[in-house]
Amino acid sequence: MSGEAMLYSALQNSNNMKVLVVVDMQNDFIDGSLGTKEAVAIVPAVVEKIKNWDGAIVATRDTHPEDYLNTQEGKFLPVVHCIEGTPGWEIAPAVSAALEEKEAEIIDKPTFGSTILAEMLLGEDIDEIELIGLCTDICVVSNALLLKANMPEVPMSVDSACCAGVTPEKHEAALETMRSCQIIVK
């Protein structure tokens, strides 16, 4: 079954049309090359959120080629991370198990915000979207703003207890940006 068909099926089988977007819960962002103690600390809350979610779940996976350092992003962030097929690219084991149990769709994305995610959700009869994951100030905020721009009437939220930023200060700044753009911060 294709990703869109799986998502459609999940939405149709849900009592209410809710979508949880789990952003980049990958080893490199948790305890790898770009990991932080804050990222490590949210893993149990993310797993619980996934396990208790009543609705469709879509997860993103930051995905870079081996020549990452030669890309535009690599020039600004010269830390090798999330190279496709490496252990750092993999979703953290506990998160991956919870996603698999819930039959979540996983989308590989080459940059901060996923246009594939937005296209996948656009046009669906969705009552709400909630985002969680890493990093609040880069990929979470990018995906939240991209989704909000494409679906301005769909209520959106971010669970701050299930997110971590590059630093605690950047995490808070990203949450404030999302509040300013009418995304509810829990």
Side-chain angles (χ1 to χ4, degrees):
M1 186 180 298
S2 75
E4 288 182 24
M6 286 175 59
L7 179 63
Y8 180 78
S9 175
L11 288 170
Q12 297 308 310
N13 292 326
S14 177
N15 293 335
N16 47 11
M17 306 295 210
K18 295 174 21 175
V19 178
L20 178 66
V21 177
V22 181
V23 179
D24 298 355
M25 288 298 298
Q26 295 161 268
N27 294 321
D28 272 347
F29 292 128
I30 297 170
D31 57 9
S33 60
L34 291 171
T36 65
K37 65 182 184 199
E38 292 84 10
V40 170
I42 69 163
V43 171
V46 168
V47 169
E48 278 305 303
K49 174 74 74 171
I50 293 167
K51 286 182 175 182
N52 294 315
W53 188 257
D54 180 24
I57 301 175
V58 181
T60 66
R61 186 168 46 197
D62 198 42
T63 303
H64 298 298
E66 288 184 25
D67 70 342
Y68 167 77
L69 293 177
N70 295 322
T71 67
Q72 180 74 17
E73 180 183 326
K75 291 174 184 168
F76 280 89
L77 178 61
V79 178
V80 175
H81 67 281
C82 297
I83 304 302
E84 187 171 8
T86 66
W89 173 73
E90 296 293 333
I91 295 173
V95 176
S96 181
L99 290 170
E100 187 174 320
E101 183 178 307
K102 289 292 208 162
E103 298 180 356
E105 175 68 18
I106 298 175
I107 298 169
D108 291 339
K109 61 179 188 55
T111 190
F112 310 129
S114 175
T115 56
I116 295 169
L117 174 64
E119 290 168 4
M120 189 181 206
L121 298 180
L122 191 62
E124 295 293 338
D125 187 21
I126 298 171
D127 292 326
E128 77 177 81
I129 297 173
E130 183 168 328
L131 294 98
I132 60 174
L134 301 168
C135 294
T136 318
D137 50 310
I138 302 174
C139 294
V140 174
V141 70
S142 294
N143 282 288
L145 294 176
L146 186 62
L147 290 170
K148 191 65 173 170
N150 280 282
M151 295 180 277
E153 294 303 316
V154 175
M156 285 185 207
S157 63
V158 62
D159 185 340
S160 62
C162 292
C163 294
V166 173
T167 66
E169 296 78 19
K170 289 186 177 191
H171 168 77
E172 289 300 326
L175 294 175
E176 189 55 39
T177 296
M178 289 186 272
R179 280 187 195 99
S180 295
C181 294
Q182 302 175 357
I183 296 166
I184 297 163
V185 176
K186 296 180 177 180

